[in-house]
Amino acid sequence: MNLKSLFSHCLPCWPKRLPDIPSQTSPPASAEHNHRQETVSPCRQQAATGNTREGRSVRQMVPLPKCSPTGMRLEGMKRNKYTCVSICTTWDPNKSSHNIRINDGVPSKLHREPVFQSTDLAMSDTGFSKGIHILDVEWPTKMRGSYAVIGVALAGTPKNEIFYTNLLGSTESSWGWDIKNNKLIHNGQTMGNYPKDKADGVFTAPSKISCIIDMNTGTIGFKTNEKYLGDAFSGLKHKTVFLAVSSVWGDAEISVAYNKGCNPTPLLLQDLSKLALRNRLEFAEQIDHLPTSPGLKRLIADKSIIDLDSIDENTHPQSD
């Protein structure tokens, strides 16, 4: 199948920026506006009015989750479309607080000593400056306490703080997800909720959390239960970051394991095309109005992972 011709039916009809979608209570459009609408494609007209064929209002439509290059790379790794690498990663005692014990026999597991009025940070022995990497952190929910943060830090980040606090994320050289309160922290400032679509206290991070370090784009994100929660931090390109945690819980034990990664690799054309389309859509209902095949619509909607080569060519008959 000619991939270029397949997408050429979709891309020209979509505006560079999706128009604001008015509510059903918006005032009637002017005659001049109505005349212009008669000449636009059905795809653009659908985006402008915000009404579906079923007559739903904007409030009833289903918002599409954010689609990012990091998320696309994760999907590609899951489908084995990239050559993956494996890097042995453990905790580094030289980059960790003196209140954290790392056993030489099992350097992938740390033990925080029960020290009163102290917050302690640990960092991985491996730094990441290129490629995308998935690191699994096992942190039992009963060993977190009031200040439990996971994220990344640069070399030289403070390793200990008197009193209890969110140490990771308190400086310019660290970025952390407070998994107790679901907040993103950097340079001592709260950057918002995470996951972004969850209100305070609604989401509970499980024992296993995957930290996604994508240095192709300088993005950090997290994954739980095989679901990518979205980009958490950006702007880290050209830096060397280390996986890090900060804890206040006495006798807490936290393990790290390198899951998989891949060297710097450009996104596939299929993924770039999907990303370009998804960034121009706001609601799932708009996908139905794309002038393309049902298989491609399913791919854009994340309803199924389909290689474009497997889409029935009868849905796009080729001209002689």
Side-chain angles (χ1 to χ4, degrees), residues 6 28 40 122 268:
L6 184 61
V40 300
L268 301 174

Side-chain angles (χ1 to χ4, degrees), residues 24 28 88 137 139 155 182 192 195 216 218 220 223 238 262 274 285 320:
Q24 287 186 328
C88 181
V137 175
W139 194 341
N182 298 325
N216 297 296
I220 306 298
K223 184 171 69 170
H238 307 304
C262 68
K274 175 181 176 179
E285 288 82 357
D320 295 333

Side-chain angles (χ1 to χ4, degrees), residues 135-146:
L135 293 99
D136 296 335
V137 175
E138 288 280 353
W139 194 341
T141 55
K142 64 181 180 180
M143 293 184 173
R144 293 178 180 175
S146 300

Side-chain angles (χ1 to χ4, degrees), residues 106-183:
V106 190
S108 60
K109 178 184 287 188
L110 66 81
H111 179 98
R112 182 190 175 273
E113 301 289 356
V115 180
F116 183 67
Q117 291 289 305
S118 175
T119 304
D120 302 289
L121 181 143
M123 296 171 61
S124 66
D125 61 345
T126 306
F128 304 96
S129 60
K130 60 183 180 180
I132 182 171
H133 310 272
I134 305 174
L135 293 99
D136 296 335
V137 175
E138 288 280 353
W139 194 341
T141 55
K142 64 181 180 180
M143 293 184 173
R144 293 178 180 175
S146 300
Y147 299 92
V149 189
I150 177 175
V152 298
L154 305 181
T157 296
K159 301 178 287 187
N160 175 263
E161 182 71 35
I162 300 175
F163 303 122
Y164 300 136
T165 184
N166 287 322
L167 179 54
L168 183 63
S170 65
T171 64
E172 190 177 0
S173 61
S174 62
W175 298 259
W177 173 26
D178 175 359
I179 56 177
K180 173 67 177 179
N181 300 300
N182 298 325
K183 299 292 186 183

Side-chain angles (χ1 to χ4, degrees), residues 56-100:
R56 296 183 188 178
S57 67
V58 172
R59 294 179 181 177
Q60 296 172 315
M61 296 170 76
V62 180
L64 281 169
K66 180 71 174 177
C67 193
S68 71
T70 298
M72 298 302 300
R73 285 192 176 90
L74 290 175
E75 287 295 335
M77 292 171 68
K78 186 187 298 184
R79 289 176 277 155
N80 296 318
K81 292 203 170 185
Y82 301 105
T83 301
C84 292
V85 298
S86 180
I87 302 173
C88 181
T89 303
T90 63
W91 298 115
D92 189 342
N94 296 322
K95 297 189 186 74
S96 305
S97 168
H98 58 276
N99 293 324
I100 289 179

Side-chain angles (χ1 to χ4, degrees), residues 225-258:
N225 298 321
E226 296 305 314
K227 178 184 178 182
Y228 185 55
L229 303 179
D231 298 347
F233 299 102
S234 59
L236 283 77
K237 202 169 183 179
H238 307 304
K239 301 181 187 294
T240 299
V241 301
F242 299 81
L243 177 72
V245 295
S246 66
S247 173
V248 299
W249 189 265
D251 292 320
E253 292 187 340
I254 308 170
S255 299
V256 60
Y258 189 93

Side-chain angles (χ1 to χ4, degrees), residues 208-219:
K208 181 181 176 181
I209 303 170
S210 298
C211 181
I212 314 301
I213 302 176
D214 186 358
M215 301 312 292
N216 297 296
T217 57
T219 302

